[in-house]
Amino acid sequence: MTAEKTGNDASQPLSAQPAPNPDEQGVQAQDSADGLKGVEAIRHALRTMPYAPGVYRMLGARGEVLYVGKALSLRKRVTSYTHVARLPERLRRMVSETVTMEIVTTHTEAEALLLEANYIKRMKPRFNILLRDDKSYPWLMLTDEHPFPQIAKHRGKPVKGASLWGPFASAWAVNQTLNLIQRVFLLRSCTDAVFNSRSRPCLLYQIKRCSAPCVDRIEPQAYAQLVEQARDFLSGKDGALRETLGHQMNEASEALDFERAALLRDRIRALAQMQESSTINPASLPEADVLGLWQEGGQTCIQVFFIRGGRNNGSRSFFPAHTQDEAAGDILSAFIAQFYDDKPCPARILVNADLPEQALLSEALSLRRGRKVEITYPQRGEKKQVLDHAVTNARDALKRRLAETAGQARLLEGVATLFGLSAPPNRIEVYDNSHIQGAHAYGVMIVGGPEGFDRKAYRKFRIRGPVTPGDDFGMMREVLERRFGRALKEAESGDTSNWPDVLLIDGGAGQYSAVRAVLDELGVTGVTLVGIAKGPDRDAGREWFYTGTGAPFQLDPRDPVLYYLQRLRDEAHRFAITTHRAGRSKTLVTSELDDIPGVGPARKKMLLNTFGSARTVRQAGLAELEAAPGINREMARIIYGHFHPDWQPG
C-alpha cells in the first residue's frame, strides 16, 4: 500500500485562491464546467495517477477532506469527475471546492473498500454518507486463567486471557444475559480482589446467584463443569444443555434429592425464557446481524439486531447523515463498510435492499474477518420475518425522530420570533462558569440546534487567568476571547460552519453589558446576544430576558419557548458543575511525587505503600529511600534531590 499527494503546487495561483462558495450554483453546462478550478485541480492530479486500485481523497482550500472514494482503477474513476455536467448536484459542489487530491494505492479493490471505510469514519468528509456511531458496545467476558473464572461485563479492547461474547446493543441487554448466567450457572461476578478477601458467602450466594467458590462451597471440578456449560450456552448449544439438565433433574428426583431437582428445574426454566419468541430469537440464525432500513422525509433509520448463539443481544437505531437523493442500497453499503470497521463481523448479514457491489462488500468483510461473510436479502421464511421485524422497528424509530425534529423546529421558530431573528437559529451557544471561591475555575460552552443538544460541540475551558477569585466577568471574558479568537480565524479562511446565531448567557444586565463589550472588542458581529436571569425570588418560570434593544421582559410561565430556553440554561449549568467537579477530583488525587522525574504510577504506589504519605517521603533520609523496595541508589538520589534542591551528591 502506497500513499501519494498530487494536485496543484502551492506556488500556483489556484492554491492561493479561496475555494468557490458552495451556495453559488453557476454550473449548468459543459462549457462552464471546463472553467471550474476544481476540474483543473482534478486534471492536474490525473497526470500522475495510476490505473491501480486504491482510495482517493479530495481536499479543500484549508486542507480539509471533502470526499473519500475507492476505485478499481483510480485514473478511470477520478476522470469521471471532470465531466461535471453528468454529475449530481452534490458532486458538482464537491468538485467546485476541490483544490488538490491525495491517493493511496492498494493491492485489491476489497482492500480499497476497507481503507475507504476507515478514512470516512475517521475523517468524516461532509460529502460522504456518514455513520454516527461514537458509542462502544458492551460484551460478556469470562476470565480463562483463574481457577474459578469470573463472568462480567466488559467494554473496550479485548483482555488477554479472557473469552468475549457479543456485542450487545446496550448495557440493559448485556445485564439481562449476565443475570441469566448467574441464575443458571451460578458463576461468580465479583472481581479477583473481592474474591480473595472473602471469608464468608456474599448475598448473591444467599439468593442463589453464585456458587460461592470464594469460600469453597463448590469443588473446582464442579465449578469447571458449570463454566463449560456456560460456554456452550453462550455459543448457542443450549439445546443439548437443557436435555442434560433434564436428565440430571430426573435422577435427582428419583434419588429423592428434591432440593437439587428444584434447582435444576429453575435453571431449565431460565434457559427456556430466552427462546420464547421465534421471531426475536430465530433458530435458523445462530450468528447474524439483521439490518432493517426505512426512509421517510428525506431521512433514513437503520435498525440493527445482534443475533448471537441463536439469541437476540438487543438492537440499536442509527441515523446516517446523507443527502436526500441517496438510494437505500448506497446508504446500506456505506453503513455496513463503516459499521464493521472497528468491530467483529458476524458470519451473516441480512439486509432489506439490493446493494451495489454486494459481492465486493462481502469479499472485503470476509478479508477482515478471516472467514466467509455472507450478505443476503431474504424474501421468505423465518429470516424474512426477522428482517421485517427490524424494518418495523426502524420505521417506528424514524417516525419518533421526525416528530421530535418537528417539535424542535417549532421551538426554534419561536426563538426566532421572540428575539427578532430572520430565520430559526441553527446554532445556539450557552456559556456558564463554575468555581469555589475562584479555585478550580472552569468555563463551559454547550450547543443546541435543530437536532437538540449537540454534545460533540461542547467545550471546556480551564481558566488560566490571572483572574481575581470570584470574578465571573473576568472568567467569561477569557472564555469568549479563546472561543471567538479561534472562530474568527476560521471565518477568515471561509469556514463559518461553527459560527453561532444566538449566544445565551446566564446573567442579568451587568453580565450582558460585560459580554457585549467583549464581543464588540473582538469584532464579533451577526450574533444575537441574550441574557437570561432569574428574578429576585429565584423561581424558575419568572426569568427576565435582556437583549439590549429594549427593556427586559418575561414570558408566560407556560410558554414552551421559555421551557426550552430554561433547558438550555440548565444544561450549561449541569455541564459546568460536572466539569468543575471532575477537575477538582483530578487535583485531589495528584501528589507532589508526580513531579519527580522517573517516578511513575508503579514507583509512586511503592513509595506510598512503604512510607505512608508523600509528606513522609519528603522527610525521609537518603538511606531510607535507598532501602525502599523498587528504589535503586540512583533513583533514591533523584527523589532526595527533588525535595532538597540545595543538596549536592557526595
Side-chain angles (χ1 to χ4, degrees):
M1 185 180 296
T2 60
E4 176 184 348
K5 183 170 182 177
T6 180
N8 292 286
D9 186 77
S11 62
Q12 298 294 325
L14 173 64
S15 60
Q17 297 178 6
N21 188 334
D23 295 327
E24 297 175 358
Q25 305 298 331
V27 181
Q28 297 180 352
Q30 186 65 40
D31 294 339
S32 59
D34 291 336
L36 282 175
K37 294 183 178 122
V39 173
E40 295 175 9
I42 293 172
R43 286 175 175 166
H44 182 86
L46 284 169
R47 297 175 188 173
T48 56
M49 193 168 294
Y51 286 96
V55 173
Y56 57 92
R57 287 176 284 177
M58 294 184 169
L59 309 181
R62 294 177 290 106
E64 75 279 15
V65 180
L66 302 174
Y67 183 78
V68 175
K70 59 88 185 161
L72 177 62
S73 172
L74 286 168
R75 189 178 182 87
K76 289 182 179 180
R77 180 68 183 93
V78 174
T79 299
S80 66
Y81 292 108
T82 61
H83 306 296
V84 181
R86 306 175 188 173
L87 299 177
E89 189 61 36
R90 175 178 63 93
L91 296 183
R92 288 186 186 184
R93 293 177 56 195
M94 178 193 70
V95 169
S96 71
E97 296 185 36
T98 300
V99 171
T100 187
M101 293 186 65
E102 291 181 350
I103 65 170
V104 177
T105 59
T106 58
H107 295 98
T108 65
E109 190 179 10
E111 290 182 358
L113 190 149
L114 294 175
L115 183 60
E116 175 198 35
N118 180 270
Y119 279 170
I120 292 173
K121 194 164 187 178
R122 187 156 47 89
M123 301 174 181
K124 294 180 170 41
R126 58 191 175 94
F127 287 101
N128 282 98
I129 298 171
L130 299 179
L131 165 63
R132 298 166 177 170
D133 180 26
D134 296 327
K135 297 180 180 178
S136 61
Y137 291 81
W139 296 68
L140 267 181
M141 179 181 70
L142 186 63
T143 56
D144 295 330
E145 298 180 350
H146 196 280
F148 296 97
Q150 170 207 16
I151 189 76
K153 290 184 295 185
H154 175 73
R155 286 184 187 265
K157 297 180 180 180
V159 177
K160 184 179 180 181
S163 300
L164 295 176
W165 284 271
F168 290 81
S170 63
W172 179 85
V174 74
N175 283 338
Q176 267 200 322
T177 304
L178 180 60
N179 289 336
L180 178 70
I181 295 292
Q182 290 177 295
R183 287 168 53 195
V184 175
F185 304 106
L186 307 178
L187 302 186
R188 72 176 180 97
S189 58
C190 59
T191 64
D192 291 349
V194 172
F195 179 88
N196 294 329
S197 63
R198 296 298 303 181
S199 58
R200 58 181 180 179
C202 66
L203 180 62
L204 289 177
Y205 174 76
Q206 306 296 335
I207 62 174
K208 296 182 174 58
R209 293 292 181 90
C210 180
S211 54
C214 54
V215 290
D216 300 326
R217 295 298 175 94
I218 185 173
E219 295 294 328
Q221 296 83 356
Y223 191 87
Q225 184 180 14
L226 292 176
V227 170
E228 287 306 310
Q229 291 178 351
R231 289 182 185 276
D232 290 342
F233 168 75
L234 292 171
S235 301
K237 303 175 183 177
D238 50 328
L241 175 60
R242 276 188 286 176
E243 185 177 347
T244 300
L245 293 177
H247 288 312
Q248 292 178 356
M249 181 183 67
N250 293 332
E251 291 174 359
S253 179
E254 292 173 0
L256 304 181
D257 188 352
F258 299 116
E259 183 176 356
R260 174 171 168 75
L263 179 63
L264 291 168
R265 178 203 61 198
D266 293 340
R267 294 172 65 184
I268 295 172
R269 285 179 178 176
L271 285 172
Q273 289 178 4
M274 298 295 290
Q275 299 293 339
E276 286 180 353
S277 172
S278 60
T279 300
I280 301 177
N281 302 291
S284 61
L285 287 176
E287 180 185 1
D289 283 350
V290 183
L291 279 60
L293 177 143
W294 184 266
Q295 291 184 300
E296 188 173 329
Q299 298 188 40
T300 300
C301 176
I302 298 175
Q303 190 81 11
V304 181
F305 281 82
F306 302 95
I307 308 296
R308 299 294 185 273
R311 290 176 299 277
N312 185 0
N313 283 355
S315 64
R316 181 173 288 185
S317 303
F318 299 90
F319 303 91
H322 61 85
T323 57
Q324 294 190 7
D325 59 347
E326 295 286 359
D330 294 327
I331 296 171
L332 261 180
S333 293
F335 174 87
I336 291 172
Q338 296 174 48
F339 186 70
Y340 296 108
D341 175 63
D342 58 355
K343 59 180 65 67
C345 183
R348 175 172 291 177
I349 300 173
L350 304 187
V351 297
N352 66 322
D354 291 319
L355 307 183
E357 300 181 320
Q358 179 170 315
L360 175 63
L361 185 58
S362 178
E363 179 188 351
L365 295 178
S366 301
L367 181 66
R368 178 178 294 279
R369 184 174 185 254
R371 287 183 290 170
K372 184 179 179 181
V373 175
E374 183 181 3
I375 302 176
T376 58
Y377 182 4
Q379 303 296 322
R380 63 183 64 86
E382 187 182 43
K383 297 183 181 65
K384 178 67 163 54
Q385 293 178 5
V386 177
L387 186 58
D388 289 343
H389 185 64
V391 173
T392 300
N393 279 265
R395 181 194 63 196
D396 295 342
L398 184 55
K399 287 184 179 296
R400 288 193 299 270
R401 182 181 178 87
L402 290 173
E404 293 169 359
T405 303
Q408 186 74 6
R410 287 193 293 270
L411 290 174
L412 294 176
E413 289 173 359
V415 171
T417 302
L418 180 64
F419 299 124
L421 305 180
S422 59
N426 286 318
R427 184 181 175 100
I428 302 176
E429 294 184 357
V430 192
Y431 294 82
D432 199 3
N433 298 326
S434 183
H435 60 91
I436 296 181
Q437 297 181 343
H440 312 299
Y442 285 87
V444 299
M445 175 189 81
I446 67 110
V447 177
E451 296 186 359
F453 294 119
D454 185 2
R455 289 181 169 80
K456 291 182 183 178
Y458 285 18
R459 293 294 180 268
K460 307 172 185 178
F461 302 88
R462 183 173 184 177
I463 303 301
R464 300 167 182 165
V467 176
T468 304
D471 183 5
D472 287 337
F473 291 169
M475 295 178 188
M476 185 62 70
R477 166 178 284 273
E478 179 179 330
V479 170
L480 293 173
E481 286 177 346
R482 289 164 60 182
R483 158 66 179 116
F484 284 99
R486 180 174 181 177
L488 288 168
K489 292 180 180 178
E490 293 175 348
E492 290 176 0
S493 62
D495 182 12
T496 59
S497 58
N498 293 326
W499 194 264
D501 300 302
V502 176
L503 196 156
L504 186 67
I505 57 169
D506 185 8
Q511 195 81 344
Y512 178 93
S513 299
V515 172
R516 181 77 271 170
V518 174
L519 296 180
D520 292 342
E521 182 181 325
L522 293 172
V524 176
T525 59
V527 177
T528 299
L529 177 63
V530 179
I532 175 173
K534 292 182 180 178
D537 52 2
R538 308 292 292 174
D539 287 339
R542 305 304 304 167
E543 284 85 352
W544 289 90
F545 291 91
Y546 298 80
T547 61
T549 57
F553 59 89
Q554 292 179 306
L555 297 178
D556 187 301
R558 294 170 294 181
D559 192 327
V561 175
L562 172 62
Y563 178 64
Y564 174 61
L565 295 172
Q566 289 172 340
R567 284 174 53 207
L568 290 172
R569 188 261 325 270
D570 294 344
E571 172 66 5
H573 187 62
R574 179 204 64 80
F575 189 51
I577 292 294
T578 55
T579 301
H580 164 75
R581 287 175 178 170
R584 186 179 61 186
S585 299
K586 185 177 180 181
T587 303
L588 292 175
V589 300
T590 58
S591 165
E592 53 189 324
L593 301 180
D594 296 325
D595 299 328
I596 305 176
V599 175
R603 277 199 175 120
K604 175 183 173 182
K605 184 177 181 180
M606 288 181 183
L607 288 169
L608 292 176
N609 287 340
T610 302
F611 293 96
S613 68
R615 179 182 178 183
T616 310
V617 176
R618 184 175 67 248
Q619 296 173 345
L622 183 59
E624 293 177 282
L625 291 171
E626 290 178 354
I631 305 298
N632 56 31
R633 187 170 182 268
E634 182 62 27
M635 194 69 243
R637 287 169 169 260
I638 293 175
I639 297 172
Y640 189 81
H642 176 79
F643 292 116
H644 303 82
D646 298 332
W647 174 73
Q648 296 294 330

